Amino acid sequence: MIKTTATSGSRASKFGAIVRVTSGNFLEQFDFFLFGFYATYISQTFFPANSEFASLMMTFAVFGSGFLMRPLGAIVLGAYIDKVGRRKGLIVTLSIMACGTVLIALVPGYASIGIAAPILVLLGRLLQGFSAGAELGGVSVYLAEIATPRHTGFYTSWQSASQQIAIILAAALGYAINVYLSTAEIAAWGWRIPFFIGCVIIPFIFVIRRSLQETDVFKARAHHPSAGEVWQSMRDNWRTVLAGGLLASMTTTTFYLITVYTPTFGRSVLHLSTADSLIVTLFVGLTNFIWLPVGGALSDRIGRRPLLLAISILCIFTAYPAMHWLAEAASFERLLAVLLYFSFFFGMYNGAMVAALTEVMPQNVRVVGFSLAFSLATAVFGGFTPAMSTFLVQTTGDKASPAYWLMFAAVCGCAATLVLYRQRRRVAVEVAVEVA
């Protein structure tokens, strides 16, 4: 159990701390969502190929490559945050992330600079992935450490909730661009506008995060682990990290399916309008924002394990029927209904999962442990969800086939929940015996 203390006694100061620490999460998800939403235009600009499928697959592969950097970022930057503090470390992650965002926004197209264009886009994604590897873990642990007793789930849920604001804003911007610009204008330069807006808000996020206060929990620690001690702890706890990654797989897969992949799925697979896909995505972001704190607060009340198991099992048995119902008669109304249903999965599960993952990690390496587990889940599952979904639809001919990938992730999440909580009970019994 995490011992939590407040950095300040007032509710206003806690709200301010939540806003300051989650501001970087906003930037991360804003840019990640834009890359997925404008994948078609990015593929045409940077990855021209003989077929739309090949071009999209190259684009989604570059999108996914950023997630392969997350485990490295989790170890390097996560260890740094555990050593120097949450505040200093999170400023570093924001700096690296900002560099990647600016690079992607400003790179000329393939027609202008040739092969250098996709290489520079890839570099930008790798920088973003490296920073994101520790950003989410650092923010989640910070929120857990400032949480009031018995409210850890509610506090940590705001890490993901902040990302939903980014999705809502990105979807709203995309809808406005779709209304006021022609398809040719969007393909030529209009898709860059939201990326430029992301660059403009970077300085404001830096100002906000620099005012962040260090947590009392970190300041109270007498010892901060060295790099060697971090590696040793990760080796000793590799089973916990691996199980934690499987626990997070349900979250990452669901999230990238209902946000990043939705616009492409709606346009390219279901042949709905761009406006329909954007409106659905906006509502998904809104309902995610609502369900996340509900899931976190409910897990504080009934426990993490029951909620994690219930949502996983529900997803296993209903994901494909829901997707099949959508695919057999695609419409805006059905897309909205199914995606909001999956939004319920994501919000309730993730609300419990983030708190659970912070609680099972060793305290002295909590950031690196959390970050590595979540990064592995994102690298293997979430980040490649758009590419895997595109591949499944193309090879099976079944428009509902992305549900198979989601169901597999739910099975992994269910199994990990059983393993981690059985392990926690065993450890608790051993400690009780030693004390007796």
Side-chain angles (χ1 to χ4, degrees):
M1 182 68 68
I2 298 174
K3 295 181 179 180
T4 56
T5 57
T7 54
S8 175
S10 69
R11 289 185 178 181
S13 67
K14 282 188 173 292
F15 175 77
I18 291 172
V19 171
R20 286 189 289 271
V21 76
T22 57
S23 59
N25 271 199
F26 170 90
L27 177 63
E28 173 196 345
Q29 198 52 56
F30 183 75
D31 195 63
F32 275 35
F33 174 77
L34 290 178
F35 198 101
F37 170 66
Y38 290 108
T40 301
Y41 303 113
I42 291 174
S43 66
Q44 295 168 359
T45 303
F46 299 111
F47 305 96
N50 294 328
S51 69
E52 181 182 1
F53 170 69
S55 187
L56 269 178
M57 283 301 293
M58 285 191 289
T59 303
F60 282 136
V62 169
F63 178 76
S65 68
F67 295 98
L68 296 179
M69 286 293 288
R70 285 196 175 205
L72 179 61
I75 294 174
V76 176
L77 295 177
Y80 179 75
I81 295 173
D82 276 325
K83 183 174 179 60
V84 305
R86 316 316 186 200
R87 178 185 178 275
K88 291 181 180 178
L90 288 171
I91 290 175
V92 170
T93 62
L94 179 60
S95 301
I96 298 172
M97 187 187 308
C99 291
T101 298
V102 172
L103 184 60
I104 292 175
L106 300 180
V107 171
Y110 187 92
S112 299
I113 61 174
I115 192 64
I119 291 175
L120 289 173
V121 171
L122 175 61
L123 177 61
R125 285 292 299 133
L126 295 179
L127 286 172
Q128 289 178 330
F130 183 72
S131 66
E135 166 74 19
L136 190 146
V139 169
S140 298
V141 170
Y142 185 96
L143 292 171
E145 290 182 348
I146 69 169
T148 54
R150 297 182 300 279
H151 294 92
T152 302
F154 178 74
Y155 270 75
T156 56
S157 69
W158 292 104
Q159 173 271 122
S160 294
S162 68
Q163 297 179 344
Q164 311 315 309
I165 298 175
I167 291 171
I168 294 170
L169 177 60
L173 283 171
Y175 182 80
I177 290 171
N178 186 66
V179 169
Y180 291 106
L181 297 179
S182 66
T183 302
E185 289 172 328
I186 296 174
W189 52 270
W191 66 267
R192 292 185 186 266
I193 293 175
F195 286 92
F196 289 141
I197 293 174
C199 293
V200 169
I201 66 176
I202 286 173
F204 296 100
I205 296 178
F206 266 109
V207 171
I208 291 173
R209 184 163 278 189
R210 282 178 62 85
S211 64
L212 195 66
Q213 300 297 311
E214 187 56 79
T215 68
D216 291 343
V217 171
F218 181 83
K219 290 188 290 187
R221 281 167 50 185
H223 175 70
H224 300 143
S226 65
E229 290 172 326
V230 168
W231 279 104
Q232 182 61 48
S233 180
M234 290 299 96
R235 285 196 298 268
D236 293 343
N237 294 279
W238 68 268
R239 291 182 179 84
T240 299
V241 171
L242 180 60
L246 293 176
L247 182 72
S249 63
M250 168 72 175
T251 281
T252 59
T253 301
T254 308
F255 180 72
Y256 284 97
L257 180 67
I258 64 177
T259 57
V260 173
Y261 182 61
T262 293
T264 301
F265 181 66
R267 285 196 311 267
S268 302
V269 179
L270 301 181
H271 305 297
L272 301 176
S273 71
T274 299
D276 284 347
S277 297
L278 281 169
I279 293 172
V280 168
T281 306
L282 192 151
F283 276 105
V284 163
L286 180 61
T287 54
N288 284 350
F289 184 82
I290 295 171
W291 286 122
L292 282 162
V294 171
L298 184 60
S299 74
D300 287 330
R301 192 171 187 86
I302 69 172
R304 323 286 183 216
R305 182 178 181 274
L307 189 56
L308 293 170
L309 289 176
I311 297 299
S312 297
I313 294 170
L314 187 63
C315 180
I316 292 169
F317 287 101
T318 64
Y320 185 82
M323 286 288 281
H324 179 72
W325 176 75
L326 166 61
E328 68 179 359
S331 66
F332 167 78
E333 292 78 13
R334 290 198 177 197
L335 180 63
L336 179 63
V338 171
L339 269 292
L340 291 186
Y341 181 53
F342 289 170
S343 170
F344 169 76
F345 288 167
F346 168 73
M348 298 298 287
Y349 187 93
N350 194 74
M353 190 281 301
V354 174
L357 199 54
T358 61
E359 291 165 349
V360 299
M361 293 299 164
Q363 184 173 1
N364 64 325
V365 289
R366 181 156 284 138
V367 173
V368 66
F370 182 109
S371 299
L372 183 56
F374 199 92
S375 296
L376 290 172
T378 308
V380 177
F381 288 89
F384 283 95
T385 290
M388 180 60 70
S389 298
T390 302
F391 173 79
L392 287 172
V393 172
Q394 179 72 17
T395 55
T396 66
D398 182 1
K399 296 179 180 180
S401 58
Y404 294 133
W405 185 240
L406 178 58
M407 292 161 63
F408 176 61
V411 170
C412 292
C414 186
T417 300
L418 295 173
V419 169
L420 284 170
Y421 280 89
R422 183 167 62 245
Q423 177 179 304
R424 288 195 76 192
R425 284 198 301 270
R426 184 172 65 248
V427 171
V429 170
E430 291 173 354
V431 170
V433 171
E434 291 178 2
V435 172

